[in-house]
Amino acid sequence: MEKPLLLRQYEYEIPTSRVMLPAVTKEGNNNDTENQPLLKVFFDFKNGHLKIEADWQYMVFASKYSEEAWIGYHENRVSIDASIYPALSINLNDSTCDGLVLPLEGYIEDGAILSSCSGLLALDKISASYEPHWKITTYLCDLQFDNCELNVQFPVYV
């Protein structure tokens, strides 16, 4: 019997790059944006919490199936706070966790606008020639706007 490999918390960050920043910001030289990561995510599976702080435009560009109109939905930075149901530690050595899908429910805030969001979190095992790893995919719908679904993936190496 294989020893459990528990995924309790996961943190991922994409720092701001001076090369990338002008491509994802309208102004191209926003001092507030320069000092913050493009994306910072924290999954707390054990307590059922998801926190994302990101540049909205980056989130739209990073989303797999985004539309240009979504860029104007929020201003600059957004904070996404969501609950993950159920709250549980995930055993990555358990084959039944491959393809696991958990519901998300929360809100998106950009300082001026607070809107509800809901979606799904999917956990998939990726087998590569060098070693297996996982990916977490979030599908978050901003309920204030029609057809605004952010689909962002995060790698998990074990």
Side-chain angles (χ1 to χ4, degrees), residues 4-73:
L5 177 60
L6 298 179
L7 178 60
R8 293 182 179 105
Q9 297 179 335
Y10 172 80
E11 191 167 1
Y12 187 78
E13 183 175 314
I14 299 176
T16 299
S17 162
R18 292 202 182 271
V19 173
M20 187 176 230
L21 188 63
V24 296
T25 59
K26 291 178 185 172
E27 295 81 25
N29 195 13
N30 184 336
N31 289 335
D32 291 338
T33 305
E34 284 184 14
N35 297 326
Q36 297 177 3
L38 288 174
L39 178 128
K40 184 175 184 179
V41 64
F42 179 72
F43 293 93
D44 185 348
F45 292 100
K46 185 177 178 183
N47 295 306
H49 188 248
L50 165 64
K51 177 75 173 175
I52 299 175
E53 294 176 8
D55 179 274
W56 175 253
Q57 292 179 38
Y58 177 78
M59 287 287 291
V60 171
F61 287 125
S63 185
K64 194 170 185 176
Y65 303 107
S66 64
E67 296 180 20
E68 191 174 331
W70 300 353
I71 293 171
Y73 288 173

Side-chain angles (χ1 to χ4, degrees), residues 58-122:
Y58 177 78
M59 287 287 291
V60 171
F61 287 125
S63 185
K64 194 170 185 176
Y65 303 107
S66 64
E67 296 180 20
E68 191 174 331
W70 300 353
I71 293 171
Y73 288 173
H74 291 281
E75 295 291 325
N76 301 326
R77 305 284 303 170
V78 293
S79 176
I80 300 171
D81 227 331
S83 295
I84 303 169
Y85 301 106
L88 55 91
S89 296
I90 299 168
N91 182 1
L92 297 179
N93 283 334
D94 183 352
S95 62
T96 63
C97 290
D98 185 11
L100 181 68
V101 177
L102 303 171
L104 300 170
E105 188 174 328
Y107 63 88
I108 300 173
E109 180 180 12
D110 74 1
I113 297 173
L114 181 66
S115 59
S116 296
C117 67
S118 66
L120 298 171
L121 178 151

